[in-house]
Amino acid sequence: MLSRIAEALFWIGRYIERAECTSRILDVQLQVLTEDPTIDREATCRALLAAMGVTYDGDYDQQAVLRLLLHDRQSTASVVWAIESARESARRSREVVSTEMWEAINTTYNQIGSGRLTRMRPADAFRMVRERSSMIASLADGTLSHDTGWQFLVLGRSIERVDMTARLVLSTTYSSGSAASWQTTLRSCGAHHAFTRTYRAIESPRAAAEFLLLDRLFPRSVVFGLTQAAACLEVLDPRQRRIGFGGDAARIIGQAQASLDASSLSDLMSDLPRQMERLQRVCVDATDAVSKRYFEGAVAPEWLGGTQ
């Protein structure tokens, strides 16, 4: 497969997943700001922007959060920027992107490019982005051959999920770390329903952390994302089955996966901020390693971890 196409599919996976995750996070966080009169709004907005990697010098309020993370084309952490970048990547790989998937991406791009998000109620805008992102991901899985190109797309999606979950868990540890804040994090990851079915009436921070980090069945847990990324890399380099890790990316992902498997929950909880920062570094290093090996030396955009 041409490196240009492989790179485009990898970033489509990351950009679409980032748009969906960002809309989920905004939906939950702004709902908390609206419903809880006791919450420190400035501190919450500041923590949210910091978790998303946004540097900002103005007033920390709801309007700033919506602008920087939803509809500002100049903000590389915004939903609009992610969708526009996904569309550009799809255009560059048009020969392998299915007609249905291209139409879904292009329609979403046109809706967002017309300024529709700024005219919608925030809750409606978040719902639209989630639904369109889920549609694109479903069409990718259902209309693309599950060949090398699809493996790159799923690899990008999996790394993005690990990164986003690690960011949210890190922001929770830096806030109150209360059971309520962990429930907010579960909702931001789309995990609250699955968590409740699994743990019943248990709503402790320890149970929430265990579910988001170590659950092997929930698709947005850290372990699930690392396992899926490792499986994609094994398919992309079949020699791994005989000689072990054949590239830096597989080694980086494999070491992170083994570290989580070998660590007890108590060990993880005792040093959770450092563990989450390490996982974010894993995503940066794995992305750079994939880029250097498969994309002719191109590396990740700086905002997603890497240098441009």
Side-chain angles (χ1 to χ4, degrees):
M1 169 167 287
L2 293 174
S3 61
R4 167 182 59 84
I5 296 174
E7 181 182 16
L9 291 170
F10 176 85
W11 287 107
I12 289 173
R14 289 206 70 166
Y15 291 139
I16 295 300
E17 183 64 25
R18 175 162 282 259
E20 180 178 355
C21 289
T22 301
S23 67
R24 287 181 182 277
I25 293 167
L26 285 172
D27 194 11
V28 173
Q29 294 291 337
L30 294 185
Q31 186 176 354
V32 170
L33 286 173
T34 301
E35 295 178 351
D36 188 351
T38 66
I39 198 169
D40 187 332
R41 294 175 180 274
E42 181 179 350
T44 301
C45 292
R46 186 187 299 270
L48 176 57
L49 291 175
M52 300 302 290
V54 176
T55 301
Y56 180 60
D57 296 327
D59 295 331
Y60 288 89
D61 53 23
Q62 183 171 324
Q63 286 68 37
V65 169
L66 284 173
R67 177 173 59 81
L68 292 169
L69 296 183
L70 182 61
H71 49 68
D72 186 354
R73 278 189 167 83
Q74 304 305 314
S75 173
T76 55
S78 73
V79 168
V80 168
W81 194 92
I83 294 296
E84 290 181 347
S85 299
R87 195 261 188 183
E88 176 60 23
S89 294
R91 188 189 63 78
R92 291 191 291 113
S93 56
R94 184 65 189 87
E95 57 264 50
V96 297
V97 171
S98 68
T99 300
E100 293 92 337
M101 182 179 171
W102 165 253
E103 289 177 349
I105 294 175
N106 204 40
T107 299
T108 306
Y109 165 80
N110 288 331
Q111 290 177 340
I112 289 176
S114 65
R116 182 177 175 183
L117 287 184
T118 60
R119 299 191 298 270
M120 298 174 70
R121 291 175 56 249
D124 293 335
F126 304 148
R127 185 182 304 109
M128 187 198 79
V129 172
R130 289 200 310 272
E131 290 174 351
R132 298 298 303 182
S133 298
S134 296
M135 177 188 295
I136 293 167
S138 178
L139 287 170
D141 291 340
T143 63
L144 296 182
S145 294
H146 288 199
D147 54 12
T148 301
W150 182 79
Q151 296 293 339
F152 277 111
L153 188 145
V154 175
L155 175 61
R157 179 197 300 167
S158 302
I159 291 176
E160 186 65 34
R161 284 183 176 176
V162 172
D163 181 59
M164 293 297 285
T165 300
R167 287 174 184 269
L168 285 171
V169 172
L170 180 61
S171 71
T172 304
T173 63
Y174 282 149
S175 62
S176 64
S178 64
S181 65
W182 277 101
Q183 293 302 307
T184 299
T185 300
L186 286 167
R187 290 166 57 200
S188 297
C189 292
H192 189 266
H193 178 72
F195 171 80
T196 302
R197 289 188 63 230
T198 303
Y199 287 83
R200 306 296 180 183
I202 302 174
E203 294 188 353
S204 67
R206 182 182 177 88
E210 182 178 51
F211 188 77
L212 291 175
L213 297 179
L214 302 176
D215 191 274
R216 285 169 170 73
L217 301 181
F218 182 66
R220 284 191 167 83
S221 76
V222 169
V223 160
F224 190 101
L226 290 173
T227 301
Q228 195 164 47
C232 292
L233 289 167
E234 183 175 343
V235 173
L236 293 172
D237 186 3
R239 294 179 303 163
Q240 281 188 215
R241 299 175 184 177
R242 301 194 64 174
I243 64 173
F245 298 132
D248 290 340
R251 184 173 295 105
I252 292 165
I253 294 292
Q255 288 174 345
Q257 186 181 3
S259 177
L260 281 179
D261 287 339
S263 299
S264 67
L265 182 59
S266 297
D267 291 339
L268 293 174
M269 294 295 290
S270 66
D271 195 15
L272 200 53
R274 189 179 68 84
Q275 295 287 350
M276 294 305 99
E277 289 171 355
R278 187 177 66 82
L279 280 171
Q280 287 181 264
R281 189 73 241 170
V282 164
C283 293
V284 171
D285 293 343
T287 297
D288 283 346
V290 169
S291 298
K292 290 173 182 176
R293 176 161 189 176
Y294 296 106
F295 308 151
E296 297 182 339
V299 294
E302 185 174 0
W303 72 281
L304 280 173
T307 56
Q308 191 169 345

